[in-house]
Amino acid sequence: GQSLEQPSEVTAVEGAIVQINCTYQTSGFYGLSWYQQHDGGAPTFLSYNALDGLEETGRFSSFLSRSDSYGYLLLQELQMKDSASYFCAVRVNQAGTALIFGKGTTLSVSS
Amino acid sequence: DAGVTQSPTHLIKTRGQHVTLRCSPISGHKSVSWYQQVLGQGPQFIFQYYEKEERGRGNFPDRFSARQFPNYSSELNVNALLLGDSALYLCASSLTGEMGEQYFGPGTRLTVT
């Protein structure tokens, strides 16, 4: 089977740093993506890691370790607007025909 | 540039009916994927189309079908609707067939009564 595990909820205060972990067990692996989704909105692409290491995009960074089947999303200088659900998703097919999403982590940022 | 558009925004159907959902990708994007998202869960992959050909299908029954047109827009059809089909249906487009980076539309909220 295919499974992605991520914490269901994370809370933090404005200005803090938070890390959302994702571990996966899938039939294939070609990359790990992260998406943000606000209540009632569409998922928004944040990052994609196909190779091991850290990718940085502004306040957000994403890390991948393929040997550990593990990745994380790091959010720095948290703002209230970062309160949302965050999903990790694994591309399981080289042709890009299947993207398996985790159940999501709800991040609540308070002042 | 316009993002991914979907229609209709909301839809209410009764059990046993048929529904057609529509999606227009970002201009220049040749790949369209469909997802079902129920409340509190991540999106579940239904179909991917690239250059008008089906590239993949998720674990959904044959009541679900889709197609992509020459202008790269797409339709998702669901026959014999069940209460459990109530969900947000999301369409996503990407420039190539690679699905690591996709751009989602606002979705169609389907309610089956």
Side-chain angles (χ1 to χ4, degrees):
Chain A
Q2 325 259 36
S3 70
L4 281 78
E5 297 292 330
Q6 50 180 130
S8 58
E9 292 184 14
V10 173
T11 59
V13 296
E14 278 187 299
I17 299 173
V18 72
Q19 178 173 312
I20 300 174
N21 299 320
C22 175
T23 57
Y24 56 87
Q25 287 187 317
T26 56
S27 57
F29 180 85
Y30 290 88
L32 181 71
S33 301
W34 289 92
Y35 287 83
Q36 178 193 61
Q37 187 177 31
H38 287 96
D39 276 349
T44 303
F45 172 78
L46 294 177
S47 69
Y48 176 63
N49 294 66
L51 302 175
D52 289 355
L54 188 69
E55 296 278 345
E56 297 180 79
T57 308
R59 295 187 297 114
F60 295 177
S61 303
S62 58
F63 172 82
L64 174 64
S65 169
R66 288 176 297 172
S67 61
D68 295 322
S69 298
Y70 163 77
Y72 67 72
L73 179 70
L74 189 73
L75 299 86
Q76 303 182 74
E77 301 174 16
L78 282 174
Q79 302 175 9
M80 297 288 284
K81 67 178 182 179
D82 296 329
S83 294
S85 292
Y86 292 84
F87 296 92
C88 58
V90 168
R91 180 182 160 213
V92 298
N93 185 303
Q94 187 174 17
T97 60
L99 196 61
I100 308 300
F101 279 78
K103 292 184 178 181
T105 298
T106 300
L107 171 64
S108 299
V109 180
S110 58
S111 57
Chain B
D1 282 345
V4 177
T5 59
Q6 292 185 243
S7 63
T9 305
H10 295 87
L11 202 53
I12 299 174
K13 292 284 190 178
T14 57
R15 281 176 295 176
Q17 285 189 315
H18 161 270
V19 68
T20 297
L21 310 180
R22 295 179 174 83
C23 170
S24 291
I26 291 171
S27 177
H29 284 195
K30 299 180 178 180
S31 176
V32 169
S33 299
W34 287 95
Y35 294 84
Q36 180 195 66
Q37 186 176 27
V38 298
L39 198 62
Q41 300 291 317
Q44 282 202 43
F45 171 71
I46 309 176
F47 286 109
Q48 185 203 10
Y49 277 79
Y50 178 69
E51 286 280 20
K52 293 154 283 183
E53 292 188 1
E54 183 180 304
R55 273 281 190 92
R57 169 189 286 256
N59 189 24
F60 280 80
D62 291 343
R63 299 185 294 108
F64 289 75
S65 64
R67 54 180 175 168
Q68 186 177 34
F69 298 100
N71 66 354
Y72 302 109
S73 67
S74 178
E75 281 183 356
L76 175 70
N77 294 282
V78 187
N79 293 324
L81 284 167
L82 303 174
L83 295 179
D85 295 330
S86 296
L88 180 68
Y89 288 84
L90 295 161
C91 170
S93 77
S94 61
L95 190 59
T96 68
E98 294 190 8
M99 293 170 60
E101 180 172 351
Q102 300 180 82
Y103 296 87
F104 283 83
T108 294
R109 173 70 63 185
L110 172 65
T111 302
V112 182
T113 63

